[in-house]
Amino acid sequence: MTRDLTVTEVRLTPILIADPPLLNTQGVHQPYTPRLIVEVVTADGIIGYGETYGDAKYLELARPLADRLIGRRITDLNGLFGLELAVDASRVENAVDVGGLRGVQTADKLRLSVLSGFEVAGLDALGKALGLPVHALLGGKVRDFVEYSAYLFYKWAGHPEGVDCEKDDWGAALDPAGVVEQARGFTERHGFTSFKLKGGVFPPQEEIAAVRALAEAFPGHPLRLDPNGAWSVETSVEVARQLGDVLEYLEDPALGTPAMAEVAARTGVPLATNMCVTTFAEIKEAFTSNAVQVLLSDHHYWGGLRNTQHLAALCAAFGVGVSMHSNTHLGISLAAMTHVASTVPGLHHACDTHYPWQSEDVLTERLTFDGGRVAVPDGPGLGVELDRDRLAFLHRRWAEDDGRLRDRDDAAAMRVAEPGWTAPPTPRW
């Protein structure tokens, strides 16, 4: 039977999902974070799912893109990137997207982040039409399980009093003992064997002490530290000197490729990034200056799963390691991350994921970690199903919001607890 793979409908559902009070150098996560669920429907009734950022500027681009997909075939994935979409440059010009610490925001990067959700939805629909998993559409998996790292955060016990929020059971983590206890929780619940600490929150010596405590509690386990560019070159070099014997890599200690290159020249600790290299145009300077030894890909940033494969191939050509960055996400994105990660031959570092922090999802069944790994789905498409009642509930939360939470802003969330707070200048230390 010949299937009609023409797109007849595209559904865009912005939602707000619960987020714990996780701290970073810019502030604290809001009690709810916006995401966008994309559904691409074919003439035969096949529905493909995608997920990306749900802030207003992404929605502004997603809506005209959805209209332009009607009448196209889901097999025309390359054609997605040929669609001209006007980006309001005033919304991104000279801006730093501190919500989620996504690095410098550009019109092209914003466009790719929107396109990524549609590409994943198209691949999911195509896989369902052909009876093939997404990893088969990407050339086939080279591993049956994808390893993920526990993503540790300094954390308040709860959001400020009086703030509408969902409760979590993780407790506070504001010192080395709290960080170690949090890591034990991740190990007991999900079996993680490597750990990444989000730094840039406290003075470097306090964060050095936390990493040392992790090394003592989990001897021999891979450890990473990520201060999101909060340190000067001198501070970065000193932290690398003090932690060089326990760190797998140091992620974005200083801001920008020139600063990273200087740090790399003065330390033997590998440097990773998801901030100074987030587009193909930024690769040449970073790789030729040896500023980066591990690149953390993110299919949302780079325009989808196939671009992620292209990126991994470039990393292999330059001898740069590759792994995967994570931001607040749900199960659709975790499934997409797992599919593409399963196809990358040189994936030698566990991938990041925020998923264990998210108590809510839009799937009928959450993905699970066993020994810190996710089994690569072999069912058609992404191998996940949408829970429409849950999707409707999370959309109502978005619709009923007064607009304060529809754009992620960690500094604004911090001002609820500390009036007058502004994001610290860079470098912070």
Side-chain angles (χ1 to χ4, degrees), residues 185-210:
F186 270 94
T187 299
E188 292 167 2
R189 299 183 190 196
H190 306 292
F192 290 113
T193 59
S194 65
F195 305 92
K196 169 179 168 176
L197 175 61
K198 177 68 74 178
V201 176
F202 295 114
Q205 286 301 324
E206 295 185 35
E207 297 182 354
I208 289 170

Side-chain angles (χ1 to χ4, degrees), residues 137-155:
L137 303 180
L138 299 174
K141 61 182 179 179
V142 296
R143 59 185 60 84
D144 293 323
F145 298 88
V146 173
E147 184 181 0
Y148 287 90
S149 178
Y151 207 149
L152 310 180
F153 281 82
Y154 289 107
K155 179 185 176 294

Side-chain angles (χ1 to χ4, degrees), residues 12 14 56 58-68 114 118 398:
L12 302 177
Y58 297 94
L59 289 174
E60 288 176 10
L61 273 180
R63 288 176 177 131
L65 177 57
D67 291 339
R68 295 189 184 196
V114 173
F118 288 85
W398 179 90

Side-chain angles (χ1 to χ4, degrees), residues 100-146:
L101 303 152
R102 302 170 198 164
V104 175
Q105 185 75 345
T106 66
D108 186 52
K109 184 173 165 184
L110 176 60
R111 180 174 174 272
L112 287 173
S113 295
V114 173
L115 285 168
S116 69
F118 288 85
E119 190 233 32
V120 169
L123 286 168
D124 184 36
L126 182 57
K128 290 172 179 174
L130 299 176
L132 294 172
V134 164
H135 64 74
L137 303 180
L138 299 174
K141 61 182 179 179
V142 296
R143 59 185 60 84
D144 293 323
F145 298 88
V146 173

Side-chain angles (χ1 to χ4, degrees), residues 17-327:
I17 60 169
D19 213 4
L22 308 178
L23 298 166
N24 57 53
T25 192
Q26 299 292 332
V28 65
H29 287 205
Q30 297 175 152
Y32 299 100
T33 290
R35 297 294 287 176
L36 175 64
I37 305 303
V38 178
E39 297 178 73
V40 173
V41 186
T42 72
D44 279 356
I46 297 170
I47 305 175
Y49 308 135
E51 174 191 342
T52 190
Y53 302 110
D55 310 64
K57 57 192 172 187
Y58 297 94
L59 289 174
E60 288 176 10
L61 273 180
R63 288 176 177 131
L65 177 57
D67 291 339
R68 295 189 184 196
L69 289 184
I70 304 300
R72 303 176 72 93
R73 292 174 60 81
I74 57 171
T75 52
D76 186 19
L77 294 172
N78 290 334
L80 272 176
F81 297 87
L83 294 177
E84 289 298 325
L85 293 176
V87 180
D88 181 358
S90 67
R91 294 186 62 84
V92 297
E93 187 176 5
N94 299 321
V96 175
D97 188 351
V98 297
L101 303 152
R102 302 170 198 164
V104 175
Q105 185 75 345
T106 66
D108 186 52
K109 184 173 165 184
L110 176 60
R111 180 174 174 272
L112 287 173
S113 295
V114 173
L115 285 168
S116 69
F118 288 85
E119 190 233 32
V120 169
L123 286 168
D124 184 36
L126 182 57
K128 290 172 179 174
L130 299 176
L132 294 172
V134 164
H135 64 74
L137 303 180
L138 299 174
K141 61 182 179 179
V142 296
R143 59 185 60 84
D144 293 323
F145 298 88
V146 173
E147 184 181 0
Y148 287 90
S149 178
Y151 207 149
L152 310 180
F153 281 82
Y154 289 107
K155 179 185 176 294
W156 292 337
H159 287 284
E161 187 175 351
V163 172
D164 176 41
C165 62
E166 304 296 313
K167 305 300 181 184
D168 71 80
D169 62 355
W170 285 95
L174 297 170
D175 56 21
V179 170
V180 169
E181 184 63 24
Q182 186 182 102
R184 292 193 192 284
F186 270 94
T187 299
E188 292 167 2
R189 299 183 190 196
H190 306 292
F192 290 113
T193 59
S194 65
F195 305 92
K196 169 179 168 176
L197 175 61
K198 177 68 74 178
V201 176
F202 295 114
Q205 286 301 324
E206 295 185 35
E207 297 182 354
I208 289 170
V211 174
R212 281 287 173 197
L214 286 169
E216 183 177 346
F218 302 94
H221 290 243
L223 303 177
R224 305 105 176 249
L225 176 60
D226 172 21
N228 282 118
W231 302 336
S232 68
V233 169
E234 293 300 327
T235 298
S236 301
V237 171
E238 178 59 21
V239 173
R241 184 188 69 79
Q242 293 193 41
L243 292 177
D245 60 325
V246 295
L247 283 181
E248 177 184 15
Y249 58 68
L250 184 58
E251 180 181 340
D252 286 307
L255 195 61
T257 294
M260 289 280 284
E262 186 174 350
V263 175
R266 296 172 59 185
T267 178
V269 176
L271 301 186
T273 189
N274 76 278
M275 294 182 71
C276 69
V277 183
T278 57
T279 66
F280 287 102
E282 295 167 327
I283 287 176
K284 181 179 179 180
E285 180 187 7
F287 285 10
T288 57
S289 65
N290 197 36
V292 177
Q293 289 73 56
V294 181
L295 201 152
L296 305 181
S297 65
D298 185 322
H299 75 271
H300 305 92
Y301 286 12
W302 293 87
L305 308 188
R306 294 171 309 138
N307 272 2
T308 300
Q309 290 184 306
H310 298 331
L311 175 64
L314 284 172
C315 288
F318 281 89
V320 173
V322 65
S323 187
M324 197 166 290
H325 163 261
S326 166
N327 210 296

